[in-house]
RNA sequence: GGGCUGAUAGCUCAGUCGGUAGAGCUGCGGACUUUUAAUCCGUAGGUCGCGGGUUCGAGUCCCGCUCGGCCCA
């Protein structure tokens, strides 16, 4: 908590430069009023008879046939638009004057267009420029033309400032660089840094393409509660809230899983939800307290079905992005260090651990890992870890990169061999996924499905029929980052009840991230849930991956920030 | 929570060994009828994040705090 006193708001400080700039703009707004215009106008329909209101993209489309190599010939432009008067509106993002001739770059949602203003043509209208600032919204009516340099332009006979911007935009060349200001004042970021707006256009397309892929596969989109009475569906700490009228404690959901599976019981055999989840945990470049997740449940499918579907889904989303935003997509793909276009690796956790153990070059590990796989290594480490750790940690370059101290602590906390195998995976395999699994070109990493998890680590997944110590589960890692988690669903109500009891036991022994016993969910399973497979994917992480953004805050419009005394 | 790192004009950034706080953009005034970060002349704009300390003297050195960033947990 901050007990700092309220600092004087800088903009109100009568001597600050910011204050002077705002006052200068306010004075212009007053001049506009004095002239009889509204500096915050609402009546923005075209005025001149026969004048057509156009988006900027429509203006460009009209002149498309006159374009050659990005340049427009004046006579051709004037020929295609002969006799037309166009009405455009947008924000003024650049403003230059050479005296009797001025150039304005106008931006709307569809693009940018130059206005070429001539004092000779406009007469008294031209003086309205004196009240214009960068950032203002302007409307203009005039004929289409091209400048001497071949830039498509409208040559207005009439202009009007329709919204006065009282604050100045950031520096025109560098934009807004201050990361904190970019997140706190996203409205400025979006105007000043067009590449940022592209990322959020991409986000919308990604979500739309995801919906389309699922809708086309016969899924039903549903909405389930985000306020829960029990903690369930994932291992995470919830936000706690309270309903006054019912005097009831509620948890903001950490996952929609248990509700979606109730719907599968109810006969909605393919359901999905794309929605916000809340986890009361730390903030990092990969974690925001609220985040968007896709979950779907698919009756009569198995986790094997889902691996195929996942590959196809990711490729189709990326293709949709490429076709809708070819320019930005090319830039993002260039920055990608992973391959989406060849089959993803599929590796059982036991094998992944054994392979990673082999790569450490630790002599004592070779035989157990070779003959017993990851489980063989677990047998060795359970009995002899601390004594040999020092010597092992120096065995090879790979061994030196392992986080031995946390590995040791993690192993010590484990209650059983399943958890130990998972710990081995976490410290020996996962940090090296990008170097161990490479695309055919060798230059990019290959996405990898790590599958067949120990059942102890997965309280909602179905046991493997042949090997009951495992569950039919996978996680997908793209360039070392967890993107998806999926499994064949546990539908045996008695087994599910036993696993809930185990979670409750763990909680009573002090574990923090456990699920509550959900009696209603067990009752639902008692009514019968068909065999099904379920899937979860972080949409924010998917956006990061496809648009090559390093931080989750770059794909969330308003990431959570600490409060700041203003 | 830990390590590293940052905060100087509205914006983007300099600021050397501790010695008068700088530039560009923006703003304001002026010139200019084909600009593309226009150009040129003039001018204004500062609680150097906040609070202590050392010193004749602190943007600069030391301590604490606030708010970020990166890495780790």
């Amino acid at each position: 908590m901050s007990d700092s006193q309220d600092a004087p708001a800088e903009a109100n400080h009568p001597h600050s430069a910011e204050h002077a700039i705002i006052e200068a703009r306010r004075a212009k707004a007053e001049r506009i009023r004095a002239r009889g215009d509204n500096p915050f106008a609402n009546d923005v329909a075209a005025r001149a008879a026969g004048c057509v209101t156009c988006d900027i993209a429509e203006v460009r489309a009209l002149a498309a046939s006159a374009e050659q190599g990005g340049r427009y010939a004046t006579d051709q432009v004037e020929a295609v638009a002969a006799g037309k008067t166009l009405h455009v509106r947008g924000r003024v993002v650049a403003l230059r004057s050479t005296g009797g001739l001025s150039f304005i770059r106008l931006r709307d949602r569809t693009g940018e267009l130059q206005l070429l203003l001539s004092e000779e043509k406009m007469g008294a209208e031209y003086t309205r420029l004196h009240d214009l600032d960068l950032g203002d919204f302007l409307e203009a009516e005039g004929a289409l033309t091209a400048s001497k340099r071949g830039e498509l332009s409208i040559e207005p006979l009439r202009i009007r400032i329709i919204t006065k911007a009282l604050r100045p935009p950031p520096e025109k060349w560098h934009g807004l660089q201050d990361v904190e200001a970019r997140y706190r004042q996203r409205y400025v970021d979006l105007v000043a840094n067009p590449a940022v707006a592209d990322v959020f256009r991409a986000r919308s397309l990604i979500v739309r393409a995801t919906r389309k892929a699922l809708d086309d596969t016969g899924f039903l989109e549903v909405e389930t509660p985000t306020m829960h009475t029990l903690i369930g569906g994932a291992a995470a700490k919830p936000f706690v809230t309270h309903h006054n009228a019912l005097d009831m404690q509620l948890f903001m959901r950490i996952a929609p899983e248990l509700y979606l599976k109730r719907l599968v019981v109810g006969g909605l055999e393919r359901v999905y939800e794309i929605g916000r989840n809340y986890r009361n945990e730390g903030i990092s470049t990969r974690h925001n307290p609220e985040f968007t997740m896709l979950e779907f449940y698919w009756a009569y499918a198995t986790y094997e079905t889902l691996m195929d579907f996942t590959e196809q889904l990711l490729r189709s989303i990326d293709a949709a992005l490429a076709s809708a935003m070819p320019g930005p997509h090319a830039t993002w793909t260039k920055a990608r260090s992973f391959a989406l276009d060849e089959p993803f690796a599929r590796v059982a956790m036991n094998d992944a651990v054994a392979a990673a153990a082999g790569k450490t070059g630790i002599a004592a590990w070779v035989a157990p890992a070779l003959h017993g796989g990851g489980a063989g290594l677990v047998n060795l480490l359970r009995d002899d870890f601390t004594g040999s750790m020092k010597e092992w940690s120096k065995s090879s370059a790979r061994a030196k990169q392992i986080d031995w101290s946390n590995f040791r602590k993690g192993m010590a906390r484990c209650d059983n061999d399943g958890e130990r195998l998972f710990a081995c995976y976490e410290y020996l395999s996962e940090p090296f996924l990008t170097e161990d699994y490479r695309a055919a070109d060798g230059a990019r990493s290959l996405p990898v499905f790590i599958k067949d998890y120990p059942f102890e680590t997965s309280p909602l997944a179905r046991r493997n029929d042949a090997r009951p110590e495992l569950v039919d589960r996978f996680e997908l890692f793209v360039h070392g980052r967890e993107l998806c988690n999926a499994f064949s669903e546990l539908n045996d109500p008695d087994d599910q009840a036993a696993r809930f009891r185990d979670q409750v036991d763990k909680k009573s022994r002090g574990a923090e991230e456990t699920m509550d016993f959900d009696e209603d969910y067990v009752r639902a399973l008692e009514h019968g849930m068909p065999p099904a497979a379920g899937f979860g994917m972080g949409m924010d992480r998917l956006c990061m991956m496809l648009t090559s953004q390093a931080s989750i805050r770059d794909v969330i419009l308003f990431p959570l920030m600490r409060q700041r005394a203003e």
Side-chain angles (χ1 to χ4, degrees):
Chain A
M1 287 296 261
S2 160
D3 60 353
S4 64
Q5 296 163 8
D6 289 347
E10 278 166 45
N12 298 329
H13 195 274
H15 302 300
S16 78
E18 188 176 19
H19 177 81
I21 289 169
I22 290 171
E23 283 313 304
R25 285 173 174 247
R26 234 185 258 286
K28 289 179 191 173
E30 282 314 311
R31 291 214 300 262
I32 293 167
R33 265 197 194 98
R35 209 173 49 216
D37 279 338
N38 183 352
F40 299 96
N42 192 39
D43 53 330
V44 290
R47 299 297 165 84
C51 182
V52 187
T53 300
C54 293
D55 288 337
I56 284 168
E58 292 174 320
V59 176
R60 291 203 173 275
L62 185 66
S65 64
E67 191 234 316
Q68 202 163 20
R71 290 174 63 103
Y72 295 78
T74 308
D75 50 348
Q76 285 181 44
V77 169
E78 290 177 354
V80 294
K84 284 200 171 79
T85 308
L86 304 175
H87 173 234
V88 292
R89 301 160 300 194
R91 193 190 281 272
V92 174
V93 294
L95 176 56
R96 288 179 286 275
S97 176
T98 64
L101 198 66
S102 294
F103 302 87
I104 287 171
R105 196 160 76 239
L106 201 67
R107 179 192 294 167
D108 75 5
R109 129 196 100 84
T110 66
E112 296 183 355
L113 183 70
Q114 179 165 277
L115 305 180
L116 195 165
L117 301 101
S118 156
E119 184 167 25
E120 190 188 352
K121 291 228 165 141
M122 294 179 73
E125 278 280 304
Y126 193 78
T127 59
R128 289 173 180 247
L129 279 176
H130 297 150
D131 300 327
L132 184 68
D133 287 302
L134 280 174
D136 290 353
F137 287 85
L138 186 74
E139 68 172 355
E141 288 177 10
L144 201 57
T145 185
S147 72
K148 273 188 184 164
R149 298 282 183 89
E151 173 134 2
L152 186 65
S153 307
I154 281 179
E155 194 168 31
L157 294 174
R158 190 183 78 81
I159 58 169
R160 186 168 62 128
I161 294 163
I162 53 179
T163 300
K164 190 75 199 159
L166 294 181
R167 288 177 182 269
E171 213 257 359
K172 64 185 167 189
W173 189 239
H174 300 92
L176 183 64
Q177 297 296 319
D178 184 282
V179 181
E180 187 178 349
R182 287 187 43 227
Y183 296 150
R184 289 188 192 274
Q185 300 179 40
R186 188 68 93 177
Y187 39 88
V188 182
D189 188 31
L190 287 166
V191 175
N193 303 319
V196 171
D198 281 342
V199 169
F200 291 102
R201 283 190 193 98
R203 182 170 176 135
S204 172
L205 288 163
I206 287 165
V207 173
R208 208 181 314 162
T210 305
R211 282 209 166 89
K212 182 173 188 330
L214 290 161
D215 294 343
D216 290 351
T217 312
F219 279 86
L220 184 73
E221 181 172 13
V222 298
E223 293 179 85
T224 65
T226 58
M227 299 163 86
H228 290 182
T229 53
L230 296 170
I231 302 166
K237 284 181 210 152
F239 286 92
V240 183
T241 185
H242 184 261
H243 188 281
N244 290 341
L246 299 181
D247 188 20
M248 188 162 82
Q249 174 179 257
L250 290 167
F251 305 104
M252 301 305 293
R253 76 169 168 200
I254 55 174
E257 173 155 356
L258 298 181
Y259 282 97
L260 291 172
K261 286 197 282 199
R262 282 171 167 93
L263 298 177
V264 176
V265 170
L268 308 183
E269 292 180 343
R270 297 182 189 185
V271 286
Y272 74 95
E273 178 163 11
I274 296 175
R276 214 69 68 82
N277 293 272
Y278 307 85
R279 296 189 181 173
N280 204 341
E281 294 163 1
I283 293 177
S284 78
T285 47
R286 290 183 296 283
H287 300 88
N288 194 62
E290 56 179 307
F291 62 100
T292 302
M293 186 159 64
L294 159 70
E295 283 202 10
F296 70 71
Y297 292 84
W298 189 347
Y300 315 115
T302 68
Y303 81 130
E304 298 281 354
T305 327
L306 296 196
M307 281 189 260
D308 296 338
F309 185 76
T310 304
E311 291 195 30
Q312 184 192 316
L313 176 68
L314 294 183
R315 288 190 197 108
S316 76
I317 295 168
D318 191 45
L321 201 54
S323 92
M325 304 183 72
H329 185 266
T331 310
W332 296 327
T333 344
K334 217 169 176 179
R336 277 184 200 168
S337 39
F338 56 88
L340 277 184
D341 47 358
E342 50 191 277
F344 300 176
R346 301 183 184 193
V347 190
M349 184 175 285
N350 192 54
D351 299 336
V353 169
K359 286 183 189 263
T360 60
I362 296 169
W365 289 9
V366 173
L370 187 66
H371 298 110
L377 185 69
V378 166
N379 279 329
L380 173 76
L381 296 183
R382 190 180 44 223
D383 302 327
D384 172 26
F385 192 115
T386 315
S388 310
M389 191 172 96
K390 211 168 175 185
E391 159 206 340
W392 289 343
S393 68
K394 289 183 247 166
S395 305
S396 66
R398 167 78 77 109
K400 283 178 193 149
Q401 291 177 58
I402 292 166
D403 182 354
W404 289 96
S405 98
N406 283 312
F407 184 20
R408 181 176 58 79
K409 285 181 206 156
M411 285 294 271
R413 274 197 299 270
C414 290
D415 291 331
N416 50 63
D417 285 353
E419 290 177 5
R420 285 186 193 98
L421 179 67
F422 186 80
C424 288
Y425 164 73
E426 225 179 338
Y427 290 98
L428 302 179
S429 297
E430 203 176 289
F432 304 99
L433 290 177
T434 53
E435 58 185 87
D436 290 351
Y437 301 93
R438 305 297 293 174
D441 63 12
R444 295 171 297 166
S445 70
L446 193 61
V448 50
F449 291 108
I450 298 292
K451 55 176 197 159
D452 304 339
Y453 279 57
F455 100 98
E456 293 91 342
T457 62
S458 314
L460 300 166
R462 179 190 187 87
R463 285 181 199 259
N464 182 276
D465 290 337
R467 301 179 59 192
E469 75 278 16
L470 300 177
V471 291
D472 290 343
R473 171 182 176 191
F474 69 79
E475 288 191 345
L476 174 65
F477 289 83
V478 178
H479 207 68
R481 291 187 176 163
E482 181 194 340
L483 182 66
C484 308
N485 180 24
F487 39 83
S488 298
E489 299 299 335
L490 173 61
N491 64 346
D492 176 339
D494 294 336
D495 191 352
Q496 182 65 73
R499 301 220 210 157
F500 276 146
R501 275 195 294 276
D502 185 50
Q503 289 285 303
V504 173
D505 281 354
K506 272 207 164 88
K507 188 171 208 160
S508 68
R509 291 200 307 272
E512 285 188 314
E513 297 181 354
T514 59
M515 300 184 198
D516 290 334
F517 195 111
D518 191 333
E519 289 181 45
D520 180 70
Y521 178 67
V522 173
R523 178 167 54 214
L525 292 187
E526 287 168 354
H527 280 278
M529 180 169 81
F535 174 95
M537 174 163 71
M539 296 304 288
D540 312 278
R541 288 187 187 177
L542 176 65
C543 292
M544 288 169 66
M545 181 191 115
L546 294 178
T547 62
S548 298
Q549 301 299 304
S551 169
I552 199 168
R553 291 182 211 100
D554 294 324
V555 300
I556 291 176
L557 282 164
F558 299 101
L560 185 68
M561 304 287 278
R562 214 180 285 269
Q563 270 192 310
R564 190 166 209 193
E566 295 251 10

